[in-house]
């Protein structure tokens, strides 16, 4: 049976035995999602790639610590989120600001279909999300995009439950205001 036909749990078992082709198959299945997760928090392509690569190395090295092979995907995502937040905090402490190049394109509005309008709105929301304070963009990414609930966000960001609720509420309001201006 080829590796592509195996489920993640079977691949993880092979990885525990040092099967490098199983590791590569897991990498191929998860790398895009893990990169996107890191990028939404870090907002820097190179840093997000580094975090993603390091997360896979960490996961494969610490695989014996994983108790349930079915939980590999969420365990890997947790590694990526925690690493991203750590790097984000380090960058903020050092006062570094990621440089982003924003390109504007003019479009012929007569040729726009409904799907294009939805894509434009989604891109507008994501680009506006990047303009928020780091704590706001991180908490909204974790909650709205990654699907973490308040308790999980409290644990990840090491904040209290009331603080988490307030932070999410303020972040949503800030995003709403920026979207109304745009």
């Amino acid at each position: 049976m080829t590796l592509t036909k195996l489920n993640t749990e079977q691949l993880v078992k092979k990885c525990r035995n040092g099967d490098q082709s199983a590791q590569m198959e897991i990498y191929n299945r998860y790398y895009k999602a893990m990169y996107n997760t890191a990028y939404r928090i870090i907002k820097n392509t190179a840093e997000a790639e580094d975090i993603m690569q390091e997360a896979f190395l960490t996961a494969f090295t610490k695989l014996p610590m994983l108790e349930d092979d079915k939980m590999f995907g969420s365990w890997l995502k947790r590694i990526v989120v925690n690493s991203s937040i750590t790097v984000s905090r380090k960058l903020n402490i050092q006062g570094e600001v990621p440089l982003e190049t924003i390109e504007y394109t003019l479009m012929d509005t007569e040729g726009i279909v409904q799907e294009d309008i939805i894509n434009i709105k989604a891109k507008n929301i994501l680009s506006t999300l990047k303009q928020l304070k780091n704590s706001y963009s991180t908490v909204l990414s974790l909650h709205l995009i990654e699907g973490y609930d308040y308790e999980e966000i409290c644990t990840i960001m090491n904040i209290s439950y009331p603080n988490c609720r307030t932070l999410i509420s303020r972040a949503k309001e800030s995003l709403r205001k920026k979207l109304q201006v745009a």
Side-chain angles (χ1 to χ4, degrees), residues 132-162:
L132 298 176
K133 288 182 2 180
N134 276 343
S135 58
Y136 287 0
S137 66
T138 300
V139 77
L140 285 180
S141 291
L142 290 172
H143 184 59
L144 300 175
I145 298 172
E146 300 300 328
Y148 286 107
D149 62 25
Y150 286 15
E151 290 85 10
E152 292 171 318
I153 294 171
C154 292
T155 304
I156 291 168
M157 295 186 72
N158 196 22
I159 57 177
S160 68
Y161 188 84

PDB file of all heavy atoms in Angstrom, residues 132-162:
ATOM      1  N   LEU A 132      -3.906  45.678  12.210  1.00  0.00           N
ATOM      2  CA  LEU A 132      -4.251  45.806  13.620  1.00  0.00           C
ATOM      3  C   LEU A 132      -3.017  45.619  14.501  1.00  0.00           C
ATOM      4  O   LEU A 132      -1.997  45.093  14.051  1.00  0.00           O
ATOM      5  CB  LEU A 132      -5.300  44.756  14.006  1.00  0.00           C
ATOM      6  CG  LEU A 132      -6.646  44.826  13.300  1.00  0.00           C
ATOM      7  CD1 LEU A 132      -7.515  43.647  13.736  1.00  0.00           C
ATOM      8  CD2 LEU A 132      -7.353  46.130  13.588  1.00  0.00           C
ATOM      9  N   LYS A 133      -3.155  46.011  15.766  1.00  0.00           N
ATOM     10  CA  LYS A 133      -2.095  45.733  16.730  1.00  0.00           C
ATOM     11  C   LYS A 133      -1.828  44.238  16.734  1.00  0.00           C
ATOM     12  O   LYS A 133      -2.735  43.440  16.480  1.00  0.00           O
ATOM     13  CB  LYS A 133      -2.536  46.137  18.147  1.00  0.00           C
ATOM     14  CG  LYS A 133      -2.616  47.600  18.386  1.00  0.00           C
ATOM     15  CD  LYS A 133      -3.005  48.017  19.797  1.00  0.00           C
ATOM     16  CE  LYS A 133      -3.239  46.959  20.825  1.00  0.00           C
ATOM     17  NZ  LYS A 133      -3.613  47.467  22.152  1.00  0.00           N
ATOM     18  N   ASN A 134      -0.605  43.849  17.048  1.00  0.00           N
ATOM     19  CA  ASN A 134      -0.244  42.428  17.030  1.00  0.00           C
ATOM     20  C   ASN A 134      -1.145  41.577  17.909  1.00  0.00           C
ATOM     21  O   ASN A 134      -1.561  40.490  17.509  1.00  0.00           O
ATOM     22  CB  ASN A 134       1.212  42.236  17.440  1.00  0.00           C
ATOM     23  CG  ASN A 134       2.156  42.420  16.285  1.00  0.00           C
ATOM     24  OD1 ASN A 134       1.756  42.391  15.130  1.00  0.00           O
ATOM     25  ND2 ASN A 134       3.420  42.627  16.588  1.00  0.00           N
ATOM     26  N   SER A 135      -1.447  42.050  19.101  1.00  0.00           N
ATOM     27  CA  SER A 135      -2.292  41.256  19.993  1.00  0.00           C
ATOM     28  C   SER A 135      -3.687  41.073  19.395  1.00  0.00           C
ATOM     29  O   SER A 135      -4.272  39.994  19.490  1.00  0.00           O
ATOM     30  CB  SER A 135      -2.386  41.897  21.375  1.00  0.00           C
ATOM     31  OG  SER A 135      -2.910  43.214  21.277  1.00  0.00           O
ATOM     32  N   TYR A 136      -4.218  42.116  18.749  1.00  0.00           N
ATOM     33  CA  TYR A 136      -5.530  42.016  18.127  1.00  0.00           C
ATOM     34  C   TYR A 136      -5.521  41.047  16.941  1.00  0.00           C
ATOM     35  O   TYR A 136      -6.382  40.200  16.814  1.00  0.00           O
ATOM     36  CB  TYR A 136      -6.014  43.386  17.650  1.00  0.00           C
ATOM     37  CG  TYR A 136      -6.459  44.333  18.739  1.00  0.00           C
ATOM     38  CD1 TYR A 136      -6.431  43.980  20.080  1.00  0.00           C
ATOM     39  CD2 TYR A 136      -6.917  45.596  18.417  1.00  0.00           C
ATOM     40  CE1 TYR A 136      -6.839  44.859  21.066  1.00  0.00           C
ATOM     41  CE2 TYR A 136      -7.334  46.488  19.401  1.00  0.00           C
ATOM     42  CZ  TYR A 136      -7.292  46.113  20.727  1.00  0.00           C
ATOM     43  OH  TYR A 136      -7.711  46.985  21.693  1.00  0.00           O
ATOM     44  N   SER A 137      -4.532  41.198  16.064  1.00  0.00           N
ATOM     45  CA  SER A 137      -4.504  40.329  14.883  1.00  0.00           C
ATOM     46  C   SER A 137      -4.253  38.877  15.291  1.00  0.00           C
ATOM     47  O   SER A 137      -4.826  37.958  14.705  1.00  0.00           O
ATOM     48  CB  SER A 137      -3.460  40.801  13.869  1.00  0.00           C
ATOM     49  OG  SER A 137      -2.168  40.681  14.381  1.00  0.00           O
ATOM     50  N   THR A 138      -3.423  38.661  16.301  1.00  0.00           N
ATOM     51  CA  THR A 138      -3.156  37.295  16.757  1.00  0.00           C
ATOM     52  C   THR A 138      -4.406  36.648  17.328  1.00  0.00           C
ATOM     53  O   THR A 138      -4.762  35.534  16.954  1.00  0.00           O
ATOM     54  CB  THR A 138      -2.033  37.292  17.819  1.00  0.00           C
ATOM     55  OG1 THR A 138      -0.847  37.825  17.244  1.00  0.00           O
ATOM     56  CG2 THR A 138      -1.766  35.885  18.324  1.00  0.00           C
ATOM     57  N   VAL A 139      -5.104  37.367  18.212  1.00  0.00           N
ATOM     58  CA  VAL A 139      -6.276  36.781  18.853  1.00  0.00           C
ATOM     59  C   VAL A 139      -7.397  36.547  17.844  1.00  0.00           C
ATOM     60  O   VAL A 139      -8.090  35.519  17.898  1.00  0.00           O
ATOM     61  CB  VAL A 139      -6.744  37.631  20.067  1.00  0.00           C
ATOM     62  CG1 VAL A 139      -7.483  38.876  19.645  1.00  0.00           C
ATOM     63  CG2 VAL A 139      -7.577  36.809  21.010  1.00  0.00           C
ATOM     64  N   LEU A 140      -7.570  37.458  16.882  1.00  0.00           N
ATOM     65  CA  LEU A 140      -8.602  37.248  15.863  1.00  0.00           C
ATOM     66  C   LEU A 140      -8.237  36.101  14.925  1.00  0.00           C
ATOM     67  O   LEU A 140      -9.113  35.332  14.518  1.00  0.00           O
ATOM     68  CB  LEU A 140      -8.850  38.534  15.074  1.00  0.00           C
ATOM     69  CG  LEU A 140      -9.652  39.616  15.787  1.00  0.00           C
ATOM     70  CD1 LEU A 140      -9.819  40.844  14.893  1.00  0.00           C
ATOM     71  CD2 LEU A 140     -11.006  39.100  16.238  1.00  0.00           C
ATOM     72  N   SER A 141      -6.970  35.981  14.576  1.00  0.00           N
ATOM     73  CA  SER A 141      -6.541  34.864  13.733  1.00  0.00           C
ATOM     74  C   SER A 141      -6.793  33.537  14.432  1.00  0.00           C
ATOM     75  O   SER A 141      -7.296  32.584  13.839  1.00  0.00           O
ATOM     76  CB  SER A 141      -5.062  34.992  13.380  1.00  0.00           C
ATOM     77  OG  SER A 141      -4.852  36.075  12.521  1.00  0.00           O
ATOM     78  N   LEU A 142      -6.434  33.476  15.716  1.00  0.00           N
ATOM     79  CA  LEU A 142      -6.640  32.235  16.471  1.00  0.00           C
ATOM     80  C   LEU A 142      -8.123  31.902  16.587  1.00  0.00           C
ATOM     81  O   LEU A 142      -8.521  30.750  16.408  1.00  0.00           O
ATOM     82  CB  LEU A 142      -6.023  32.348  17.868  1.00  0.00           C
ATOM     83  CG  LEU A 142      -4.508  32.377  17.939  1.00  0.00           C
ATOM     84  CD1 LEU A 142      -4.046  32.678  19.363  1.00  0.00           C
ATOM     85  CD2 LEU A 142      -3.905  31.082  17.440  1.00  0.00           C
ATOM     86  N   HIS A 143      -8.943  32.915  16.844  1.00  0.00           N
ATOM     87  CA  HIS A 143     -10.360  32.660  17.077  1.00  0.00           C
ATOM     88  C   HIS A 143     -11.157  32.473  15.786  1.00  0.00           C
ATOM     89  O   HIS A 143     -11.860  31.469  15.626  1.00  0.00           O
ATOM     90  CB  HIS A 143     -10.953  33.812  17.892  1.00  0.00           C
ATOM     91  CG  HIS A 143     -12.383  33.606  18.272  1.00  0.00           C
ATOM     92  ND1 HIS A 143     -12.811  32.534  19.021  1.00  0.00           N
ATOM     93  CD2 HIS A 143     -13.498  34.335  18.003  1.00  0.00           C
ATOM     94  CE1 HIS A 143     -14.115  32.608  19.189  1.00  0.00           C
ATOM     95  NE2 HIS A 143     -14.560  33.692  18.573  1.00  0.00           N
ATOM     96  N   LEU A 144     -11.047  33.409  14.860  1.00  0.00           N
ATOM     97  CA  LEU A 144     -11.897  33.390  13.670  1.00  0.00           C
ATOM     98  C   LEU A 144     -11.365  32.507  12.548  1.00  0.00           C
ATOM     99  O   LEU A 144     -12.129  31.878  11.839  1.00  0.00           O
ATOM    100  CB  LEU A 144     -12.100  34.815  13.152  1.00  0.00           C
ATOM    101  CG  LEU A 144     -12.764  35.789  14.130  1.00  0.00           C
ATOM    102  CD1 LEU A 144     -12.796  37.186  13.542  1.00  0.00           C
ATOM    103  CD2 LEU A 144     -14.159  35.314  14.496  1.00  0.00           C
ATOM    104  N   ILE A 145     -10.047  32.472  12.388  1.00  0.00           N
ATOM    105  CA  ILE A 145      -9.484  31.721  11.263  1.00  0.00           C
ATOM    106  C   ILE A 145      -9.093  30.304  11.679  1.00  0.00           C
ATOM    107  O   ILE A 145      -9.428  29.335  11.016  1.00  0.00           O
ATOM    108  CB  ILE A 145      -8.291  32.473  10.646  1.00  0.00           C
ATOM    109  CG1 ILE A 145      -8.772  33.819  10.099  1.00  0.00           C
ATOM    110  CG2 ILE A 145      -7.622  31.644   9.553  1.00  0.00           C
ATOM    111  CD1 ILE A 145      -7.682  34.747   9.626  1.00  0.00           C
ATOM    112  N   GLU A 146      -8.389  30.191  12.807  1.00  0.00           N
ATOM    113  CA  GLU A 146      -7.927  28.874  13.254  1.00  0.00           C
ATOM    114  C   GLU A 146      -8.995  28.097  14.012  1.00  0.00           C
ATOM    115  O   GLU A 146      -8.898  26.888  14.160  1.00  0.00           O
ATOM    116  CB  GLU A 146      -6.677  29.019  14.134  1.00  0.00           C
ATOM    117  CG  GLU A 146      -5.509  29.680  13.442  1.00  0.00           C
ATOM    118  CD  GLU A 146      -5.038  28.944  12.208  1.00  0.00           C
ATOM    119  OE1 GLU A 146      -5.141  27.705  12.167  1.00  0.00           O
ATOM    120  OE2 GLU A 146      -4.573  29.605  11.268  1.00  0.00           O
ATOM    121  N   GLY A 147     -10.011  28.802  14.525  1.00  0.00           N
ATOM    122  CA  GLY A 147     -11.133  28.121  15.166  1.00  0.00           C
ATOM    123  C   GLY A 147     -10.929  27.767  16.629  1.00  0.00           C
ATOM    124  O   GLY A 147     -11.673  26.943  17.179  1.00  0.00           O
ATOM    125  N   TYR A 148      -9.951  28.370  17.291  1.00  0.00           N
ATOM    126  CA  TYR A 148      -9.760  28.092  18.711  1.00  0.00           C
ATOM    127  C   TYR A 148     -10.847  28.778  19.528  1.00  0.00           C
ATOM    128  O   TYR A 148     -11.284  29.882  19.211  1.00  0.00           O
ATOM    129  CB  TYR A 148      -8.386  28.605  19.182  1.00  0.00           C
ATOM    130  CG  TYR A 148      -7.230  27.764  18.703  1.00  0.00           C
ATOM    131  CD1 TYR A 148      -6.382  28.215  17.708  1.00  0.00           C
ATOM    132  CD2 TYR A 148      -6.983  26.517  19.263  1.00  0.00           C
ATOM    133  CE1 TYR A 148      -5.312  27.445  17.263  1.00  0.00           C
ATOM    134  CE2 TYR A 148      -5.921  25.740  18.832  1.00  0.00           C
ATOM    135  CZ  TYR A 148      -5.086  26.209  17.834  1.00  0.00           C
ATOM    136  OH  TYR A 148      -4.038  25.445  17.407  1.00  0.00           O
ATOM    137  N   ASP A 149     -11.289  28.110  20.608  1.00  0.00           N
ATOM    138  CA  ASP A 149     -12.262  28.747  21.481  1.00  0.00           C
ATOM    139  C   ASP A 149     -11.543  29.594  22.523  1.00  0.00           C
ATOM    140  O   ASP A 149     -10.313  29.626  22.584  1.00  0.00           O
ATOM    141  CB  ASP A 149     -13.199  27.713  22.127  1.00  0.00           C
ATOM    142  CG  ASP A 149     -12.473  26.713  23.013  1.00  0.00           C
ATOM    143  OD1 ASP A 149     -11.380  27.024  23.523  1.00  0.00           O
ATOM    144  OD2 ASP A 149     -13.019  25.611  23.217  1.00  0.00           O
ATOM    145  N   TYR A 150     -12.319  30.301  23.336  1.00  0.00           N
ATOM    146  CA  TYR A 150     -11.737  31.247  24.296  1.00  0.00           C
ATOM    147  C   TYR A 150     -10.772  30.561  25.268  1.00  0.00           C
ATOM    148  O   TYR A 150      -9.712  31.099  25.573  1.00  0.00           O
ATOM    149  CB  TYR A 150     -12.839  31.958  25.084  1.00  0.00           C
ATOM    150  CG  TYR A 150     -13.590  33.020  24.307  1.00  0.00           C
ATOM    151  CD1 TYR A 150     -13.513  33.120  22.924  1.00  0.00           C
ATOM    152  CD2 TYR A 150     -14.395  33.931  24.963  1.00  0.00           C
ATOM    153  CE1 TYR A 150     -14.193  34.094  22.223  1.00  0.00           C
ATOM    154  CE2 TYR A 150     -15.096  34.911  24.270  1.00  0.00           C
ATOM    155  CZ  TYR A 150     -14.982  34.979  22.903  1.00  0.00           C
ATOM    156  OH  TYR A 150     -15.655  35.952  22.209  1.00  0.00           O
ATOM    157  N   GLU A 151     -11.160  29.391  25.779  1.00  0.00           N
ATOM    158  CA  GLU A 151     -10.304  28.690  26.741  1.00  0.00           C
ATOM    159  C   GLU A 151      -8.956  28.328  26.119  1.00  0.00           C
ATOM    160  O   GLU A 151      -7.907  28.470  26.759  1.00  0.00           O
ATOM    161  CB  GLU A 151     -10.990  27.418  27.271  1.00  0.00           C
ATOM    162  CG  GLU A 151     -12.165  27.679  28.186  1.00  0.00           C
ATOM    163  CD  GLU A 151     -13.472  27.903  27.422  1.00  0.00           C
ATOM    164  OE1 GLU A 151     -13.508  27.663  26.201  1.00  0.00           O
ATOM    165  OE2 GLU A 151     -14.440  28.343  28.057  1.00  0.00           O
ATOM    166  N   GLU A 152      -8.989  27.852  24.883  1.00  0.00           N
ATOM    167  CA  GLU A 152      -7.737  27.489  24.207  1.00  0.00           C
ATOM    168  C   GLU A 152      -6.868  28.722  23.973  1.00  0.00           C
ATOM    169  O   GLU A 152      -5.651  28.674  24.137  1.00  0.00           O
ATOM    170  CB  GLU A 152      -8.043  26.799  22.870  1.00  0.00           C
ATOM    171  CG  GLU A 152      -8.677  25.430  23.031  1.00  0.00           C
ATOM    172  CD  GLU A 152      -9.171  24.859  21.712  1.00  0.00           C
ATOM    173  OE1 GLU A 152      -9.761  25.605  20.909  1.00  0.00           O
ATOM    174  OE2 GLU A 152      -8.966  23.649  21.498  1.00  0.00           O
ATOM    175  N   ILE A 153      -7.492  29.829  23.611  1.00  0.00           N
ATOM    176  CA  ILE A 153      -6.746  31.071  23.387  1.00  0.00           C
ATOM    177  C   ILE A 153      -6.130  31.553  24.698  1.00  0.00           C
ATOM    178  O   ILE A 153      -4.989  32.016  24.720  1.00  0.00           O
ATOM    179  CB  ILE A 153      -7.653  32.147  22.750  1.00  0.00           C
ATOM    180  CG1 ILE A 153      -8.058  31.713  21.337  1.00  0.00           C
ATOM    181  CG2 ILE A 153      -6.951  33.497  22.715  1.00  0.00           C
ATOM    182  CD1 ILE A 153      -9.122  32.570  20.691  1.00  0.00           C
ATOM    183  N   CYS A 154      -6.866  31.415  25.787  1.00  0.00           N
ATOM    184  CA  CYS A 154      -6.328  31.789  27.107  1.00  0.00           C
ATOM    185  C   CYS A 154      -5.050  31.013  27.399  1.00  0.00           C
ATOM    186  O   CYS A 154      -4.056  31.588  27.860  1.00  0.00           O
ATOM    187  CB  CYS A 154      -7.349  31.497  28.206  1.00  0.00           C
ATOM    188  SG  CYS A 154      -8.812  32.542  28.170  1.00  0.00           S
ATOM    189  N   THR A 155      -5.066  29.732  27.124  1.00  0.00           N
ATOM    190  CA  THR A 155      -3.902  28.891  27.371  1.00  0.00           C
ATOM    191  C   THR A 155      -2.757  29.262  26.445  1.00  0.00           C
ATOM    192  O   THR A 155      -1.615  29.418  26.887  1.00  0.00           O
ATOM    193  CB  THR A 155      -4.275  27.397  27.165  1.00  0.00           C
ATOM    194  OG1 THR A 155      -5.374  27.073  28.015  1.00  0.00           O
ATOM    195  CG2 THR A 155      -3.094  26.504  27.475  1.00  0.00           C
ATOM    196  N   ILE A 156      -3.051  29.420  25.172  1.00  0.00           N
ATOM    197  CA  ILE A 156      -2.015  29.721  24.184  1.00  0.00           C
ATOM    198  C   ILE A 156      -1.348  31.063  24.471  1.00  0.00           C
ATOM    199  O   ILE A 156      -0.124  31.179  24.438  1.00  0.00           O
ATOM    200  CB  ILE A 156      -2.608  29.720  22.753  1.00  0.00           C
ATOM    201  CG1 ILE A 156      -3.004  28.303  22.350  1.00  0.00           C
ATOM    202  CG2 ILE A 156      -1.626  30.309  21.754  1.00  0.00           C
ATOM    203  CD1 ILE A 156      -3.852  28.232  21.089  1.00  0.00           C
ATOM    204  N   MET A 157      -2.161  32.075  24.759  1.00  0.00           N
ATOM    205  CA  MET A 157      -1.627  33.423  24.943  1.00  0.00           C
ATOM    206  C   MET A 157      -1.292  33.742  26.401  1.00  0.00           C
ATOM    207  O   MET A 157      -0.816  34.824  26.711  1.00  0.00           O
ATOM    208  CB  MET A 157      -2.607  34.456  24.382  1.00  0.00           C
ATOM    209  CG  MET A 157      -2.780  34.332  22.880  1.00  0.00           C
ATOM    210  SD  MET A 157      -3.795  35.631  22.164  1.00  0.00           S
ATOM    211  CE  MET A 157      -2.674  37.025  22.297  1.00  0.00           C
ATOM    212  N   ASN A 158      -1.589  32.782  27.287  1.00  0.00           N
ATOM    213  CA  ASN A 158      -1.296  32.928  28.709  1.00  0.00           C
ATOM    214  C   ASN A 158      -1.989  34.169  29.299  1.00  0.00           C
ATOM    215  O   ASN A 158      -1.356  35.021  29.920  1.00  0.00           O
ATOM    216  CB  ASN A 158       0.217  32.984  28.946  1.00  0.00           C
ATOM    217  CG  ASN A 158       0.568  32.754  30.393  1.00  0.00           C
ATOM    218  OD1 ASN A 158      -0.211  32.166  31.140  1.00  0.00           O
ATOM    219  ND2 ASN A 158       1.728  33.236  30.795  1.00  0.00           N
ATOM    220  N   ILE A 159      -3.305  34.252  29.049  1.00  0.00           N
ATOM    221  CA  ILE A 159      -4.107  35.357  29.569  1.00  0.00           C
ATOM    222  C   ILE A 159      -5.338  34.785  30.265  1.00  0.00           C
ATOM    223  O   ILE A 159      -5.718  33.638  30.035  1.00  0.00           O
ATOM    224  CB  ILE A 159      -4.533  36.355  28.458  1.00  0.00           C
ATOM    225  CG1 ILE A 159      -5.302  35.642  27.337  1.00  0.00           C
ATOM    226  CG2 ILE A 159      -3.327  37.102  27.906  1.00  0.00           C
ATOM    227  CD1 ILE A 159      -5.826  36.569  26.240  1.00  0.00           C
ATOM    228  N   SER A 160      -5.986  35.603  31.090  1.00  0.00           N
ATOM    229  CA  SER A 160      -7.187  35.160  31.798  1.00  0.00           C
ATOM    230  C   SER A 160      -8.382  35.140  30.846  1.00  0.00           C
ATOM    231  O   SER A 160      -8.374  35.793  29.797  1.00  0.00           O
ATOM    232  CB  SER A 160      -7.469  36.087  32.975  1.00  0.00           C
ATOM    233  OG  SER A 160      -7.842  37.371  32.497  1.00  0.00           O
ATOM    234  N   TYR A 161      -9.422  34.436  31.252  1.00  0.00           N
ATOM    235  CA  TYR A 161     -10.619  34.330  30.431  1.00  0.00           C
ATOM    236  C   TYR A 161     -11.282  35.698  30.205  1.00  0.00           C
ATOM    237  O   TYR A 161     -11.596  36.045  29.061  1.00  0.00           O
ATOM    238  CB  TYR A 161     -11.605  33.330  31.059  1.00  0.00           C
ATOM    239  CG  TYR A 161     -12.787  33.031  30.175  1.00  0.00           C
ATOM    240  CD1 TYR A 161     -12.702  32.062  29.180  1.00  0.00           C
ATOM    241  CD2 TYR A 161     -13.992  33.724  30.316  1.00  0.00           C
ATOM    242  CE1 TYR A 161     -13.773  31.787  28.356  1.00  0.00           C
ATOM    243  CE2 TYR A 161     -15.067  33.448  29.496  1.00  0.00           C
ATOM    244  CZ  TYR A 161     -14.956  32.480  28.520  1.00  0.00           C
ATOM    245  OH  TYR A 161     -16.015  32.217  27.696  1.00  0.00           O
ATOM    246  N   PRO A 162     -11.480  36.497  31.268  1.00  0.00           N
ATOM    247  CA  PRO A 162     -12.079  37.824  31.026  1.00  0.00           C
ATOM    248  C   PRO A 162     -11.199  38.700  30.120  1.00  0.00           C
ATOM    249  O   PRO A 162     -11.717  39.439  29.278  1.00  0.00           O
ATOM    250  CB  PRO A 162     -12.185  38.443  32.428  1.00  0.00           C
ATOM    251  CG  PRO A 162     -12.174  37.283  33.359  1.00  0.00           C
ATOM    252  CD  PRO A 162     -11.338  36.233  32.699  1.00  0.00           C
TER     253      PRO A 162
END
